[in-house]
Amino acid sequence: MKLRVNNVNASYEENAVLDNICIELNEGEFVSLVGSSGVGKTTLFNIIAGLLTPVSGTVMLDETDVTGKTGYVGYMLQKDMLLPYKTVMDNIALPLVIGKVKKQEARELVLPYMDEFGLSGYENKYPNMLSGGMRQRAALLRTYMQKKQVMLLDEPFSAIDGITRAGMHSWYRDIVDRHGLSTILITHDIEEAVSMSDRIYIMCGKPGKIVDELSIEREGSLQDFMLSEKFLDYKKYIIGRL
């Protein structure tokens, strides 16, 4: 097991936000948190990332208590947050430079991944010259370059058009499988969760709580799976629980 959230409770002022949240993430696993807006998904992510401290409960990474401590996980927000005045290469290398790696060395470390992330040839372009999908790939590579053991993705594909998003799902799932990335995704898109995940946690209520956990068994290619009866059954089940 890579990450474990134990009995986490959170509140904002006098209002309870999270109620006794328990989730687990195994090594190399892709897990999604599905729930409507306002259910507390982002609050939970901020707690896992150490940006917020829960009222009670713990966040364990490889059996180390990292509750309220930052710098242990990679965290990508909904917006790509690319700096407009830096090239694509320098945007991606930024976490390394912040970590005291020399700029040229940081660029050399990033370069081998540019082709795999679909960015080869765009190293010296600026963010406004990229498509939405390419901006998200650059942001994902920047998060990956932090070399954290766990990736937290907060609705990273929601601003992309449907056709591009479907391609991104297949592409990122391939990256996950190839590199053994341990990933937790926040989404309100049920199809996205089913198509990408090994397991799904369903969150409901105010305060938000985990009401169900679902293991996903994919068969064949992603495209075939999304057209299958099993895919539709998973989607119907989640809708029913929400």
Side-chain angles (χ1 to χ4, degrees):
M1 188 179 302
K2 177 57 63 178
L3 179 80
R4 185 168 67 248
V5 176
N6 296 316
N7 308 112
V8 160
N9 293 276
S11 61
Y12 179 72
E13 295 180 345
E14 300 297 322
N15 301 313
V17 178
L18 296 175
D19 180 15
N20 198 41
I21 300 293
C22 296
I23 66 171
E24 297 176 350
L25 176 69
N26 296 311
E27 182 82 36
E29 188 178 32
F30 193 113
V31 168
S32 288
L33 290 170
V34 175
S36 59
S37 297
V39 77
K41 301 188 300 296
T42 297
T43 297
L44 177 57
F45 257 28
N46 286 336
I47 289 172
I48 294 173
L51 300 173
L52 294 175
T53 302
V55 171
S56 60
T58 58
V59 178
M60 306 294 293
L61 181 66
D62 287 332
E63 304 306 322
T64 298
D65 189 342
V66 296
T67 312
K69 301 175 183 178
T70 60
Y72 286 89
V73 300
Y75 193 174
M76 179 177 166
L77 302 173
Q78 183 174 347
K79 295 182 179 179
D80 58 65
M81 307 297 285
L82 298 177
L83 300 176
Y85 53 86
K86 285 186 175 290
T87 64
V88 172
M89 174 70 80
D90 286 340
N91 264 287
I92 295 168
L94 189 59
L96 299 173
V97 174
I98 291 174
K100 307 303 182 183
V101 177
K102 292 183 179 180
K103 184 179 291 187
Q104 187 55 41
E105 182 183 351
R107 290 170 175 166
E108 291 171 0
L109 290 170
V110 168
L111 189 59
Y113 295 99
M114 295 297 285
D115 184 58
E116 184 176 9
F117 278 71
L119 297 166
S120 182
Y122 290 85
E123 293 85 353
N124 297 315
K125 305 293 186 184
Y126 288 87
N128 65 355
M129 304 172 74
L130 303 184
S131 67
M134 294 183 74
R135 290 176 66 103
Q136 291 304 98
R137 287 199 295 272
L140 282 163
L141 179 51
R142 181 182 58 193
T143 304
Y144 176 74
M145 292 309 299
Q146 296 175 31
K147 296 299 182 182
K148 304 303 181 184
Q149 300 174 57
V150 172
M151 298 267 281
L152 304 180
L153 308 181
D154 190 348
E155 302 199 62
F157 311 116
S158 61
I160 306 173
D161 67 88
I163 295 174
T164 303
R165 186 162 60 244
M168 288 288 289
H169 291 167
S170 180
W171 167 80
Y172 185 71
R173 182 69 222 198
D174 183 58
I175 293 288
V176 168
D177 293 339
R178 229 180 306 151
H179 292 280
L181 299 182
S182 305
T183 304
I184 306 179
L185 169 73
I186 281 178
T187 183
H188 59 266
D189 185 326
I190 296 171
E191 291 191 358
E192 179 172 81
V194 175
S195 66
M196 298 189 73
S197 304
D198 299 307
R199 285 188 299 117
I200 298 173
Y201 288 103
I202 302 172
M203 289 185 69
C204 290
K206 291 187 178 182
K209 60 183 67 178
I210 302 294
V211 298
D212 210 341
E213 176 188 348
L214 183 63
S215 294
I216 304 298
E217 296 180 5
R218 293 187 304 277
E219 297 177 354
S221 69
L222 179 58
Q223 184 176 12
D224 289 343
F225 174 56
M226 292 184 69
L227 295 173
S228 69
E229 190 69 27
K230 180 178 284 189
F231 184 90
L232 185 59
D233 288 341
Y234 284 133
K235 184 177 176 181
K236 287 178 178 177
Y237 180 83
I238 294 170
I239 291 173
R241 295 298 282 136
L242 290 171

